[in-house]
Amino acid sequence: SVRNRLREIVGASTNWSHHQQAMADRASLSSMLATSQNDLPAKRMKDSYLEVHLPLGSEPQLREKYLTYHNTVRFGRILEDLDSLAVLISYSHTYNPEVKRSPLSIVTALVDKIDMRQHVIYPDSDIKFTGHVTWVGKSSIEAKMHMSQYRDGAYVSVLDATFVMVARDPGNKRAAFVNPLKPEGPEEEKLFQEGEANKSRRVELSTASLLKVAPTDEERKVVHSIFLNTLDTNTVSFRSRVLPPNSVWMEDAKLKGLEICHPQERNIFNRIFGGFLMRKAYELGWANACSYGGCRPSLVAVDDILFQKPVDIGSLLMLSSQVCYTQGKYIQVRVHSEVFDPLTCQHSTTNIFHFTFASDRDVPNIIPKTYGESMLYLDGKRHFDQTVES
């Protein structure tokens, strides 16, 4: 019902050929866009509040789509549902009763954080999603969502998620203004300030990225310590490296996959659905963590999923997962997705995903060998430390 509502809002069709025409017709909606944010009325947080139910307990026919072999719920499906809900929450914030079809194209820019409160999601109990907009910029929207499950007569918290959405013009080519947000009361003001802090933190992390600046002094000591620990004491050579006990070389902790992007997986804007990309990346990352740890891992957190580029229908999507950091029973996995054009042989990065898993036992230490792998290790450590701190 959430996805049907989204199709109504933008005038999309479930039929592929009709859908293409409907998207072409959206170009005429550009004249309805605001020329300034000041032209748009301020909205309240409760204007975008939504409550959606997934009746796995009361409607058993729904279960198979969500069921794992081990009789739990597929978390990849939950990621798809969260993505759809975040888009609908954003459209609820920008709703204009005088307009039949929204001129805005609202897409996912970033999954800022998903924190798990329960490690098991049951396939025979109803699930409730709630959420609303908590912060807005000129064209960006932060939506916070909460998921709970009905157990023993009450709803129990399962996860909290924060998504960042961006509004664009009908052709999804340039940024478009969204309604400002007016917090009411100290609790909403606190949520709004948290949104401001989240934005500042993202800018700070981007500035300090290891792809842009050198590691800190402390991080350099970590890398050098790993290097010294892998030197062959018999040869005492810079080139001769030995794997320490209970360790795995980083190059041996990879898992790859490929997806052909069919029309069935499209979103309401004729691109591949972001939730589908998240599901595929999560399942590959989970399989890698499972293989590495030797048991079925549980998800601890998802953070900093960046949507750098949309994926077109018909693309060859290449996914590569890498165990990049370990500590005790925890496994940090990075999944890199890219589109490959077989005609030009060009590779373009579309997404980077970060997942923190927990095994039921201590896992081997992951050991980088090259400088590039050491940077992956430090990046994984940063994400893990951030998860532990929150």
Side-chain angles (χ1 to χ4, degrees):
S1 62
V2 167
R3 293 182 186 121
N4 287 339
R5 178 76 187 108
L6 287 172
R7 290 189 189 99
E8 289 173 15
I9 289 170
V10 301
S13 170
T14 54
N15 182 290
W16 170 235
S17 56
H18 296 168
H19 186 91
Q20 289 179 301
Q21 183 58 48
M23 289 299 99
D25 293 343
R26 277 183 61 79
S28 63
L29 302 177
S30 293
S31 60
M32 298 163 60
L33 292 172
T35 55
S36 164
Q37 192 175 42
N38 295 329
D39 297 337
L40 296 167
K43 296 292 187 76
R44 302 165 298 176
M45 289 189 185
K46 63 184 178 184
D47 291 332
S48 61
Y49 178 83
L50 290 178
E51 181 175 310
V52 178
H53 292 260
L54 181 60
L56 296 180
S58 49
E59 296 185 24
Q61 68 272 20
L62 285 175
R63 288 179 199 162
E64 190 163 316
K65 179 181 175 182
Y66 287 83
L67 194 63
T68 71
Y69 171 74
H70 297 278
N71 204 38
T72 58
V73 168
R74 295 171 62 184
F75 188 73
R77 292 293 188 197
I78 299 299
L79 286 173
E80 291 183 330
D81 292 343
L82 287 170
D83 193 49
S84 294
L85 182 59
V87 177
L88 186 55
I89 286 171
S90 301
Y91 273 117
S92 299
H93 173 77
T94 60
Y95 174 68
N96 181 352
E98 297 177 5
V99 175
K100 185 180 178 183
R101 284 192 298 164
S102 174
L104 297 175
S105 299
I106 298 179
V107 295
T108 308
L110 175 77
V111 178
D112 190 61
K113 193 75 173 171
I114 300 177
D115 289 314
M116 303 301 297
R117 309 301 178 196
Q118 296 280 337
H119 292 306
V120 178
I121 306 174
Y122 300 93
D124 56 356
S125 299
D126 288 358
I127 288 172
K128 179 171 70 175
F129 297 93
T130 57
H132 60 86
V133 169
T134 52
W135 174 88
V136 299
K138 296 285 188 193
S139 62
S140 53
I141 297 172
E142 181 188 89
K144 283 190 183 293
M145 293 165 287
H146 178 74
M147 174 180 150
S148 54
Q149 187 164 39
Y150 195 74
R151 300 292 295 173
D152 301 322
Y155 276 99
V156 178
S157 177
V158 175
L159 65 80
D160 292 299
T162 304
F163 280 49
V164 178
M165 322 302 287
V166 290
R168 302 179 70 80
D169 68 1
N172 199 7
K173 291 182 171 60
R174 59 183 179 83
F177 292 109
V178 297
N179 300 68
L181 182 65
K182 185 180 179 182
E184 294 180 333
E187 191 173 326
E188 291 191 2
E189 190 62 47
K190 182 184 175 186
L191 285 173
F192 190 84
Q193 291 306 320
E194 285 175 3
E196 288 283 359
N198 288 339
K199 181 190 176 185
S200 300
R201 174 178 52 81
R202 288 191 292 268
V203 171
E204 189 179 310
L205 288 173
S206 175
T207 305
S209 167
L210 291 166
L211 292 170
K212 298 177 181 177
V213 296
T216 64
D217 288 343
E218 190 63 36
E219 288 173 332
R220 283 195 282 264
K221 289 176 183 175
V222 169
V223 169
H224 195 66
S225 173
I226 293 172
F227 171 73
L228 293 177
N229 200 35
T230 59
L231 286 178
D232 188 342
T233 55
N234 295 322
T235 61
V236 196
S237 164
F238 283 116
R239 293 190 176 186
S240 185
R241 308 282 293 278
V242 175
L243 188 66
N246 190 36
S247 300
V248 175
W249 290 121
M250 191 177 279
E251 63 186 9
D252 296 325
K254 296 178 181 177
L255 202 58
K256 297 188 177 185
L258 180 138
E259 293 290 331
I260 300 174
C261 299
H262 297 291
Q264 183 185 10
E265 310 302 342
R266 71 185 184 276
N267 63 14
I268 52 176
F269 304 116
N270 246 15
R271 299 284 176 77
I272 294 301
F273 173 42
F276 170 78
L277 301 175
M278 285 194 278
R279 173 164 66 87
K280 288 299 179 181
Y282 166 78
E283 289 174 352
L284 183 67
W286 183 92
N288 198 3
C290 182
S291 172
Y292 187 87
C295 67
R296 298 180 69 248
S298 56
L299 180 69
V300 176
V302 181
D303 82 307
D304 203 22
I305 296 179
L306 186 61
F307 289 78
Q308 297 184 6
K309 183 180 177 183
V311 178
D312 291 324
I313 294 162
S315 298
L316 293 179
L317 183 71
M318 304 176 77
L319 296 159
S320 177
S321 70
Q322 172 74 69
V323 175
C324 55
Y325 181 75
T326 56
Q327 184 175 307
K329 66 177 183 178
Y330 295 102
I331 305 168
Q332 188 71 33
V333 179
R334 180 184 192 267
V335 181
H336 176 266
S337 74
E338 61 183 12
V339 169
F340 173 65
D341 187 333
L343 302 180
T344 63
C345 295
Q346 293 290 312
H347 292 257
S348 302
T349 297
T350 59
N351 303 79
I352 296 176
F353 306 84
H354 300 275
F355 302 104
T356 306
F357 294 99
S359 180
D360 61 6
R361 68 197 79 157
D362 284 354
V363 299
N365 298 313
I366 196 77
I367 304 294
K369 191 181 283 187
T370 66
Y371 186 79
E373 287 178 348
S374 296
M375 295 305 100
L376 275 177
Y377 181 89
L378 293 178
D379 187 59
K381 185 177 186 303
R382 287 181 179 184
H383 283 282
F384 177 76
D385 290 346
Q386 192 174 308
T387 295
V388 171
E389 286 170 10
S390 63

